Amino acid sequence: MTDLSAFPIAKRWPAKHPDRLQLYAWPTPNGVKISIALEEIGLPYEPHPVDIGKNESWTPEFLSLNPNGKIPAIIDPNGPGGKPIGLFESGAILLYLSDKTGKLIPADSIRRYETIQWVFFQMAAIGPIFGQVGFFNKFAGREIADKRPLERYRDESRRLIGVLETRLKGRQWIMDDEFTIADVATLGWVRNLIGFYEARDLVGFDDFPGVAAWLERGLARPAVQRGLTIPARG
């Protein structure tokens, strides 16, 4: 049997199937990226809910694997050379999974790097900006009388959606007809922006029909639907 005892996180969230990839996450836009990718790839895995509402990602066991204290994180008992590997940061995990399996990323080197740039676009721009819109529109930030921060993030969100709109013109997916980790990285954030963050009207989402159609196509994929609710909330 695979031994995960070298990873303290496996003591707090013990594995029932230690031979499978272990996913530590919560169903947020960052968390579901990895469950969606794993469902699309078909790689066996075991999910563990790390309840961020209870600050479980700041426990010593979780921090031992992800010092940044954010979900998700993984342990792959069958890493490079057959050795276990622990990883954090969703973009790095997506790249690892695509490299490991040869799926969700083009084989051609030029298109591979183009895919990676769109993953980074989500991580460096869409994720942080949409998250700020959520804070100022739905959470504690809405109580701030000065609305200039909200307006700033609203305008930047519109700009970023416009970048996606331009990219998707004449394309089914971000990388043409190939569903990739670029789509996986971005779908949950756009879904949350207009749904959970209640910002559809705020950002004028209906002005971007290409992005709306792409989101609808993505959410219709069975693997995406499954991944959106993994790990299940307790």
Side-chain angles (χ1 to χ4, degrees):
M1 178 178 287
T2 305
D3 182 9
L4 300 179
S5 62
F7 297 92
I9 195 170
K11 296 181 175 68
R12 184 181 181 97
W13 290 277
K16 295 180 180 178
H17 306 282
D19 56 321
R20 300 179 187 177
L21 186 144
Q22 305 293 305
L23 169 64
Y24 308 91
W26 192 245
T28 67
N30 279 335
V32 300
K33 291 178 196 175
I34 310 309
S35 53
I36 289 172
L38 288 165
E39 289 292 322
E40 287 279 351
I41 289 168
L43 194 66
Y45 70 105
E46 181 177 356
H48 302 277
V50 179
D51 191 336
I52 59 174
K54 298 177 180 177
N55 291 323
E56 289 185 345
S57 65
W58 299 105
T59 58
E61 295 87 353
F62 188 85
L63 290 170
S64 69
L65 181 55
N66 183 356
N68 193 33
K70 305 290 185 179
I71 53 101
I74 67 166
I75 297 172
D76 184 359
N78 302 300
K83 298 179 181 179
I85 183 173
L87 291 172
F88 67 95
E89 294 298 341
S90 58
I93 297 170
L94 286 176
L95 264 175
Y96 171 75
L97 293 174
S98 63
D99 283 346
K100 176 184 176 74
T101 62
K103 296 181 180 179
L104 295 180
I105 198 164
D108 176 77
S109 294
I110 291 177
R111 286 177 55 79
R112 180 178 185 274
Y113 282 111
E114 289 176 348
T115 304
I116 293 170
Q117 80 179 346
W118 286 104
V119 174
F120 286 5
F121 171 71
Q122 181 277 302
M123 295 180 64
I126 281 181
I129 296 298
F130 286 11
Q132 290 300 316
V133 166
F135 174 75
F136 284 103
N137 191 57
K138 182 180 175 67
F139 299 112
R142 73 188 337 175
E143 300 170 4
I144 298 174
D146 186 347
K147 297 305 176 186
R148 285 176 294 181
L150 173 61
E151 292 166 359
R152 189 266 187 211
Y153 290 115
R154 174 203 64 198
D155 293 347
E156 182 65 358
S157 293
R158 277 188 61 86
R159 185 188 74 80
L160 294 173
I161 300 169
V163 173
L164 272 182
E165 181 78 8
T166 300
R167 174 63 183 179
L168 288 165
K169 186 176 182 179
R171 292 181 169 89
Q172 182 178 15
W173 306 111
I174 291 174
M175 292 303 296
D176 306 308
D177 294 327
E178 190 170 358
F179 185 81
T180 68
I181 55 174
D183 302 287
V184 173
T186 311
L187 277 168
W189 278 106
V190 177
R191 173 178 176 261
N192 253 40
L193 178 71
I194 65 173
F196 184 70
Y197 292 157
E198 302 172 353
R200 185 184 195 106
D201 293 337
L202 176 71
V203 301
F205 185 74
D206 293 334
D207 295 338
F208 305 96
V211 175
W214 162 83
L215 178 63
E216 184 176 351
R217 284 192 296 273
L219 294 179
R221 295 175 71 90
V224 172
Q225 280 297 308
R226 293 192 301 271
L228 287 172
T229 59
I230 300 172
R233 295 174 185 264

